[in-house]
Amino acid sequence: MTHSPLGLPSSGTAQAWAALGGDPALLGRVVHKGGGSLPSRLPVMELARATVAVCSLAAAELAARRGGGQVPSVTVEDGAVTTAFLSDRLVRVDGVAPTTFAPLSRFWRAADGWVRTHANYPHHRARLLDALSLPEDAGVEAAAGAIGERRAVDVEESVYAAGGLAVAMRSGDEWAQHPQSAATAGRPLLLAERLGDDGPPRAANGRASLPCSGLRVLDLTRVLAGPVATRTLALLGADVLRIDSPHLPESQDAHNDTGVGKRSTRLDLAAVADRATFEELLALADVVVTGYRPGTLDRFGLSPQALAERRPGLVLARLSAWGRYGPWDGRRGFDSLVQAATGIAATEGDEDRPGTLPAQALDHGTGYLLAAGVLRALTGQHGAGGSRLVEAALTQTAAWLTGGLVKGPDGNPAAYDADRWLTERNSPMGRLRHAVPAVGYDGGPADWACPPGFWGTDAPKWENAAA
């Protein structure tokens, strides 16, 4: 078990490393340092340092496997972790802060409780207003009136039926009685399994400068956990190409935060030419990371089994909000909605109003866990080859935070200086300020190789040499 400089055990790191199937002897390579804090009633800081620690350790393990030698040591700085978990709020372009939530993305008082909505994307906003029988130009006051007349669960069901996003806020006890909670209970924090034995073992490469050097990653994810995972793989040397549909909007503000180190293009998988381009990319890919609602990509032949058949030896990582089980398995979701549904908002709030975590911690934490799962799968392929599947869900991370994670040291808020963990560089959009990487190990990368560009404007092709 790892220890902080205060001599207190970091139980979360040991729990997460065990969930990843890691060798417990390697935990002795990890050291925690204070200097940051994410104040909350739940052990959010422990979740943050634990997920960053296991991701860093998995990177160090893969670096040793590919390059030879011992697993390098890992130092987890609470200041860097805190800043990384707040990266979506701290990013700046020419000093301008991002817009994180749209006016209709918020808590609303319903007739019998509270409802949380998510309407950052125009199509989600339109579906919300349609479910509330409001015109497309309706604002906050009109939405508040419509929601205030209805039961919270009725709003939840009608908005989801319209293709929008809303959940009734539940207490921890209320969530425990929900069928989706029952489906979540007893499942692992992270699922990792073999998809098949096809695909030869990966060969060690003593020339690899970084653990993911030469590896190609197809990134089919959107805000926020999936892009955090692939941003981490890019930091570690992977050629990451994000692919989005030309029919779905995306926030450049969000891409300024999570697009560092990557390239970004748009392909319509329903179009013959774009689908052929995708298959050419897939034929040379090592990792595919998906973050769409369960089942959405299956019609394009992107289920795990179909991908492994076409590209033996692939590592496939999948992310969802509610998990691929239970009555909500096909529902859309975001961090803020999972917080509201699972009792987190009730725990962090008071009698008068719901609360929130100090960061989008379910997103960030799950992103680091998913990246760690990919790194461990790649390490496993060096010994046994085969195709691998890694799956994570925001609700599983939420269940860990609310039920199984032991609170660690609170950190030292007085010593936290965000500026120490921020850096600036030129980018196509202007002068970019972003968080420095929290993931690292002795001799590892200090920053990403390149800044983000304009979303969706890169050519759909690989850039690096074969691994």
Side-chain angles (χ1 to χ4, degrees):
M1 186 174 294
T2 59
H3 291 74
S4 77
L6 301 176
L8 299 174
S10 179
S11 301
T13 302
Q15 289 175 325
W17 189 241
L20 289 162
D23 180 357
L26 291 181
L27 288 169
R29 310 297 293 169
V30 181
V31 174
H32 289 128
K33 291 186 178 180
S37 181
L38 293 166
S40 57
R41 292 171 182 167
L42 291 166
V44 175
M45 191 65 216
E46 181 63 15
L47 179 147
R49 67 165 65 95
T51 55
V52 168
V54 296
C55 191
S56 299
L57 187 55
E61 180 187 36
L62 180 58
R65 193 63 183 263
R66 292 197 71 189
Q70 291 187 335
V71 175
S73 61
V74 168
T75 300
V76 180
E77 298 268 10
D78 278 359
V81 171
T82 298
T83 307
F85 268 62
L86 296 171
S87 65
D88 50 304
R89 305 177 188 182
L90 295 175
V91 67
R92 300 285 186 274
V93 174
D94 292 333
V96 179
T99 299
T100 53
F101 285 101
L104 298 188
S105 296
R106 50 170 284 181
F107 281 106
W108 308 86
R109 191 182 289 277
D112 61 346
W114 291 90
V115 173
R116 178 83 196 213
T117 57
H118 194 287
N120 284 3
Y121 291 117
H123 56 299
H124 290 160
R125 182 183 188 277
R127 293 167 184 173
L128 171 65
L129 294 175
D130 182 59
L132 297 176
S133 301
L134 294 174
E136 62 181 17
D137 60 348
V140 171
E141 185 174 346
I147 292 173
E149 297 173 352
R150 308 184 188 192
R151 296 171 60 244
V153 172
D154 291 340
V155 175
E156 174 183 279
E157 292 302 321
S158 63
V159 172
Y160 266 104
L165 294 109
V167 298
M169 190 190 82
R170 294 169 171 84
S171 68
D173 289 341
E174 289 170 333
W175 177 245
Q177 300 303 314
H178 193 278
Q180 188 62 35
S181 177
T184 301
R187 293 181 181 269
L189 177 60
L190 194 85
L191 173 68
E193 61 183 24
R194 292 178 70 96
L195 285 174
D197 295 329
D198 292 338
R202 291 189 181 274
N205 183 354
R207 297 170 297 175
S209 57
L210 294 171
C212 293
S213 291
L215 301 180
R216 300 183 177 103
V217 178
L218 283 177
D219 176 5
L220 284 76
T221 69
R222 293 166 69 80
V223 179
L224 177 63
V228 167
T230 53
R231 179 182 70 183
T232 304
L233 299 177
L235 170 72
L236 299 170
D239 181 8
V240 178
L241 179 62
R242 174 168 165 171
I243 297 176
D244 285 273
S245 167
H247 307 300
L248 291 176
E250 184 55 292
S251 163
Q252 181 65 42
D253 282 344
H255 190 62
N256 293 341
D257 171 40
T258 60
V260 283
K262 308 180 194 177
R263 290 173 299 113
S264 168
T265 193
R266 285 180 278 183
L267 293 174
D268 183 354
L269 297 183
V272 174
D274 282 3
R275 179 59 183 273
T277 299
F278 177 83
E279 291 298 325
E280 292 173 359
L281 293 168
L282 175 64
L284 296 175
D286 300 283
V287 179
V288 176
V289 185
T290 67
Y292 286 77
R293 181 167 52 99
T296 301
L297 298 177
D298 290 2
R299 62 192 175 100
F300 299 113
L302 301 183
S303 68
Q305 292 74 19
L307 285 167
E309 288 176 3
R310 300 207 300 285
R311 178 61 167 139
L314 189 71
V315 173
L316 176 63
R318 298 199 300 181
L319 171 78
S320 62
W322 306 106
R324 297 173 187 272
Y325 36 78
W328 285 10
D329 65 336
R331 291 197 175 192
R332 299 172 179 87
F334 291 92
D335 182 308
S336 57
L337 301 182
V338 177
Q339 287 190 40
T342 60
I344 292 174
T347 298
E348 296 293 334
D350 52 40
E351 294 181 358
D352 297 324
R353 188 164 184 84
T356 60
L357 298 178
Q360 299 283 93
L362 302 181
D363 266 335
H364 286 275
T366 306
Y368 289 120
L369 285 172
L370 193 68
V374 169
L375 296 168
R376 293 235 64 244
L378 290 167
T379 296
Q381 286 183 328
H382 279 267
S387 302
R388 310 291 176 114
L389 173 65
V390 180
E391 286 192 347
L394 300 188
T395 45
Q396 295 300 151
T397 305
W400 185 43
L401 175 65
T402 58
L405 181 59
V406 178
K407 186 176 178 64
D410 289 329
N412 182 7
Y416 174 58
D417 177 11
D419 289 342
R420 178 185 172 189
W421 308 106
L422 294 167
T423 188
E424 290 192 1
R425 66 201 307 173
N426 292 325
S427 77
M429 294 75 62
R431 188 67 176 171
L432 174 71
R433 186 188 82 173
H434 64 85
V436 302
V439 169
Y441 54 89
D442 188 18
D447 204 348
W448 287 269
C450 63
F454 288 105
W455 169 77
T457 59
D458 291 299
K461 64 180 184 179
W462 296 117
E463 287 198 340
N464 63 11

